[in-house]
Structure formats: structure tokens, C-alpha cells
Amino acid sequence: MRLATSISSNLRMRVPALVWRTLSELRIERLLESRTKVPGWTILWGHGVCADSSPWHRRDPRHIPLQVFERQMELLLSLGYTFITLGEGAKLLQNGEPLDRKVTLTFDDGFRNVVQLAYPVMRKLNLKGCFFVVVEVVGTGQLLWTDMIDIVCRWYRGRSLELQFPDGRVRFDMDSDAAIGKAITMVKRTLR
């Protein structure tokens, strides 16, 4: 995340305001935040995609609007990135072959919106990626416990949430995105 912040700060200083506004519309900072880099190989990890008119991305920023997702992928293609699978990347890495401008797109937890919304874009743009599916919850309608924590914490936006932990009660003031993120992290770490 520190790398993404320094990249976006440096980028902002060099790019004219109009271009930066366009990059901001593409949520380029969010794209940079959600990447893992292995010598030349960029692994972008996401969670879900939502319909452009859906307020879901405001409740859970891990789900980005479909139009933004498509524009981000088009931007990467226009910059000369080649999409590869995790297996292809591992094979290139094992053989000592260059991984420059290789990118793998991954989605966690197997949300239906990825199949319904992201996959058609991936197919249209001929992108490769990986879907991580938690088989225990497929077809059950249940959420993972980690997603339940995210939803509860975001539900309390603008209010306080008080929880009882083994070490005592903890109160979280959910007055900002940063506060909500901090609460989510603390609750998950405590329960793990």
C-alpha cells in the first residue's frame, strides 16, 4: 500500500490536472492499491464488481462499478500489459523467463457478481485471471465470516459499534472510512 501511495503521489505531481481527473475517474489509485508485485509480474486482487447504478461499492469498496473495472482493464491493455493465469506466471517464474508487463487478475471468495459482471468483460477483452471460490459456501446463500464483519462495520457508518471480546468491551466510532477500516482489521485479527 505504501508503494501505491508513493506511485500515485509521484504521478499526481507529473500529470496535468485534466489527465489526473480522468485517472481519478478510473480509480487508478484504487487499482494501484490492490496489486502485488513479483519481479515484473503484477497480480491484481479484487473482490467483486457491482452494477454501475448500484450503491454497493459505497458500502463495500472492494466491489467496484462495472464501468470502472472495464476502463481499468482497457487502460492496462493500452499500456501493453499481457494478462496471464497464475499457472502461466508460476511456470515463467520457475523457468527464469521475464515477467515484464505481465498481469494476473484474481477475485476472492467467488461472488456471483464476478461471474455475472466481470467475466463477460474479461471474455470480451480476452483477459485471463483466477477466481478463488470457497466451496463450503457455494450454493448456501451464506457469507464468509470475514464478509459479515465488513458488512456489520459498514452498516454502523456514522454511529458507534460496541463489541464484547474476551479481553473486554471495545467501542468503535464509525465516523470515517479510515475508522471503519481500522475496526474491520481489529475485529478480524481478534477473531482469528
Side-chain angles (χ1 to χ4, degrees):
M1 183 133 23
R2 227 180 260 155
L3 174 64
T5 303
S6 69
I7 290 172
S8 63
S9 296
N10 289 338
L11 190 60
R12 185 177 290 146
M13 290 185 317
R14 294 185 201 163
V15 176
L18 179 61
V19 175
W20 183 250
R21 275 195 304 276
T22 303
L23 291 175
S24 292
E25 286 176 20
L26 283 172
R27 294 187 182 189
I28 198 72
E29 290 177 355
R30 179 81 173 116
L31 182 64
L32 291 170
E33 284 175 4
S34 63
R35 72 187 193 136
T36 304
K37 196 152 179 154
V38 177
W41 181 20
T42 301
I43 300 172
L44 296 173
W45 48 272
H47 214 70
V49 175
C50 60
D52 294 326
S53 59
S54 168
W56 182 251
H57 70 279
R58 283 185 222 112
R59 290 188 206 126
D60 188 344
R62 297 171 304 161
H63 296 258
I64 65 169
L66 177 62
Q67 186 178 18
V68 172
F69 170 72
E70 186 168 3
R71 290 175 66 194
Q72 286 177 343
M73 298 305 104
E74 289 170 345
L75 175 65
L76 290 170
L77 287 170
S78 73
L79 293 172
Y81 282 88
T82 302
F83 284 75
I84 60 173
T85 65
L86 283 172
E88 290 169 339
K91 194 172 194 174
L92 290 170
L93 200 58
Q94 183 178 25
N95 294 337
E97 296 180 43
L99 288 154
D100 295 336
R101 295 207 177 269
K102 301 289 191 263
V103 63
T104 298
L105 183 61
T106 71
F107 287 97
D108 290 345
D109 300 341
F111 280 99
R112 184 179 297 130
N113 62 34
V114 174
V115 174
Q116 292 173 336
L117 301 172
Y119 181 67
V121 171
M122 292 172 68
R123 199 169 65 219
K124 178 177 110 179
L125 299 175
N126 200 26
L127 308 180
K128 296 178 181 181
C130 180
F131 299 93
F132 292 103
V133 178
V134 180
V135 295
E136 290 87 19
V137 296
V138 171
T140 67
Q142 296 177 0
L143 290 173
L144 295 172
W145 70 271
T146 52
D147 292 326
M148 285 188 247
I149 291 168
D150 291 344
I151 289 170
V152 168
C153 288
R154 292 181 204 296
W155 179 262
Y156 276 85
R157 173 180 294 287
R159 298 179 284 167
S160 294
L161 172 64
E162 197 166 311
L163 298 172
Q164 178 66 44
F165 290 111
D167 294 338
R169 286 184 102 49
V170 178
R171 179 186 165 115
F172 300 97
D173 291 319
M174 307 298 209
D175 53 4
S176 69
D177 288 338
I180 292 169
K182 186 175 178 182
I184 289 169
T185 300
M186 184 185 170
V187 172
K188 287 179 183 179
R189 282 186 183 150
T190 302
L191 295 178
R192 283 194 173 132

